[in-house]
Amino acid sequence: MHPIPCRVRSVVRELEDTFTLDIEPPENDWGFAPGQFTMLYAFGVGEVPISISGDPNDPSRLVQTIRAVGPVTDALTAVSPGDTIGVRGPFGSSWPTKAVEGGDLLIITGGIGLAPLRPAILEVLANRDRYDNVTLLYGARSPGELLFADELQEWRGRFDLDVLITVDHGDRVWRGPVGVVTSLISRASFDPESTAAFVCGPEIMMRFTIQELQRKGITDDRLFASMERNMKCGIGLCGHCQFGRYFVCKEGPILSCAQMSGAFWTREV
Amino acid sequence: MSEVFDLIVDHPFFAGMTRDQIKVVSETGTVVSYHEGQTIFTEGTDAVGPLLILSGDVALEMQTPGHGPQVILTLHSGDFLGWSWLYPPYRWTYDAHVHSNAEAIRFDGPGLKEASEVDPALGYELMKRFTEMLVNRMQSIRIQLLDVYSTPR
């Protein structure tokens, strides 16, 4: 499966090291499910898996948010409108937005983890009447490092979505919560018996979040996390991204805690 | 029963304690109100007892030379504020400022300790709960120290 050359339409700088690319999709009827990713190829440098952060109801745009953390992402975030990059995908499993309809939904994320969850949030908001309470809990490093800050502000203004944001380190003007994202869970309104949770962020953050949600009584089959492992092929052949008995690129990245069972708590898996 | 008893009897912190034990605790409490911007206590002053926040937001701050006050944690409805009253030298370690109008129950620390000496079973129940709160806060601060949202290079 070869990367398809795609033209970059626009580049938006979200944070100091984080950029959102609007890319012309490989095909006209290109579509994806919330939570899926593509392999993006910076020609001559390399290929990396990047979650799709766009609207799943808009197949005309492939939107991906990238943080520069190494040579390939440095190259991908240095592109300009009109440049061409390679795209393979979409790959992987998705947030089960349909399966959890009818109950409360907690969306818990930290840092750049908001990007892979943005399509799920947009999907849920587009079908808002199918869910009871929907709550977004977001943790960031500091007030200046809130991803999609304008959109967060817009979501906070909605009456059908509770948005709580906390930062690890406040500043002189920040009047919101300071502390870890798990501290927001007790402030959310949800019925554990009918609640599903989507969790995405650094693995340590996800571990503590899932522990707290389990303590609150949410069962493992309704707890979903987006896992991250070193990926190469993206189609479940090479084995680089093996996580327990799953390949994260194929059966993941979205896995339920029931699927992951002990693997999530086992070191070096 | 008193107003304070009614306010705390169903609070998760007291879950599992007998009504008699909760009554003893409630007798050391007073409902207090704070307005936005007010200082509840400052670092180094006498730590007289914990507060249970009923509504509003309170920030724990540390004064840092050259940088002014740094907010290290915010507490909200349902949270307990303060444990310095439990251990010598019984002085607050941080400043507590009100971010939005707050109502709280201020408990008398010496009164709680005296009641715990008289009834060690009550003391044990209280210590279990305050220790759990301390452990949870410490875990949170450890995660904050890990700086998990920083860019991995």
Side-chain angles (χ1 to χ4, degrees), chain B residues 64-141:
Chain B
T64 51
H67 295 92
Q70 303 281 308
V71 178
I72 51 169
L73 182 71
T74 54
L75 298 169
H76 313 275
S77 172
D79 291 335
F80 259 95
L81 165 61
W83 60 67
S84 300
W85 60 278
L86 267 170
Y87 307 102
Y90 308 113
R91 295 192 183 281
W92 296 119
T93 335
Y94 308 108
D95 296 352
H97 282 115
V98 180
H99 266 191
S100 67
N101 290 346
E103 198 165 63
I105 299 170
R106 187 177 56 211
F107 293 95
D108 173 43
L112 282 176
K113 280 185 279 191
E114 194 181 317
S116 299
E117 293 292 345
V118 171
D119 179 1
L122 169 67
Y124 181 56
E125 291 300 325
L126 287 175
M127 284 305 282
K128 278 196 292 188
R129 286 160 177 76
F130 279 110
T131 307
E132 185 181 2
M133 183 184 81
L134 275 164
V135 168
N136 289 338
R137 297 265 170 90
M138 192 178 67
Q139 295 273 34
S140 297
I141 287 166

Side-chain angles (χ1 to χ4, degrees), chain A residues 14-258:
Chain A
E14 306 282 0
L15 302 172
E16 191 180 341
D17 58 0
T18 306
F19 297 78
T20 294
L21 308 189
D22 184 347
I23 306 161
E24 282 179 5
E27 300 158 23
N28 284 335
D29 60 348
W30 198 88
F32 71 97
Q36 287 192 300
F37 67 96
T38 67
M39 297 298 293
L40 293 186
Y41 186 24
F43 294 115
V45 185
E47 197 181 41
V48 286
I50 300 290
S51 292
I52 302 166
S53 58
D55 186 348
N57 296 307
D58 183 0
S60 68
R61 298 172 71 203
L62 169 58
V63 177
Q64 309 219 235
T65 302
I66 305 165
R67 180 159 68 166
V69 294
V72 183
T73 48
D74 283 349
L76 287 170
T77 53
V79 297
S80 302
D83 288 351
T84 300
I85 59 175
V87 177
R88 291 193 296 129
F91 297 127
S93 61
S94 58
W95 299 108
T97 50
K98 293 268 186 296
V100 303
E101 285 177 0
D104 295 334
L105 179 61
L106 283 175
I107 298 168
I108 306 178
T109 177
I112 193 155
L114 182 57
L117 271 165
R118 183 173 175 265
I121 296 167
L122 296 174
E123 175 87 0
V124 168
L125 292 178
N127 301 285
R128 182 62 190 86
D129 56 333
R130 298 181 188 168
Y131 305 85
D132 286 336
N133 292 329
V134 181
T135 307
L136 170 63
L137 307 179
Y138 178 46
R141 194 169 184 234
S142 69
E145 292 168 272
L146 296 175
L147 190 61
F148 308 138
D150 291 344
E151 199 162 32
L152 282 170
Q153 194 60 31
E154 188 186 310
W155 289 340
R156 290 179 89 159
R158 292 180 67 120
F159 293 108
D160 57 358
L161 176 67
D162 290 326
V163 179
L164 292 171
I165 300 170
T166 186
V167 295
D168 280 351
H169 312 286
D171 60 21
R172 284 167 189 265
V173 293
W174 177 253
R175 304 296 287 176
V178 175
V180 292
V181 73
T182 48
S183 67
L184 298 177
I185 293 172
S186 61
R187 301 176 66 189
S189 170
F190 62 92
D191 171 9
E193 287 189 5
S194 67
T195 298
F198 297 166
V199 184
C200 186
E203 204 160 312
I204 293 172
M205 166 257 164
M206 292 202 292
R207 266 209 323 260
F208 281 93
T209 300
I210 286 168
Q211 278 176 343
E212 186 62 22
L213 295 173
Q214 289 170 327
R215 258 201 296 271
K216 296 282 183 190
I218 304 179
T219 52
D220 281 1
D221 59 325
R222 299 179 68 81
L223 289 173
F224 300 89
S226 182
M227 297 306 297
E228 197 174 285
R229 286 293 180 272
N230 185 21
M231 294 183 197
K232 285 288 181 190
C233 72
I235 51 176
L237 291 176
C238 73
H240 275 83
C241 63
Q242 186 167 3
F243 173 64
R245 59 196 175 99
Y246 297 107
F247 288 152
V248 171
C249 71
K250 193 175 177 187
E251 286 99 1
I254 314 302
L255 294 167
S256 73
C257 280

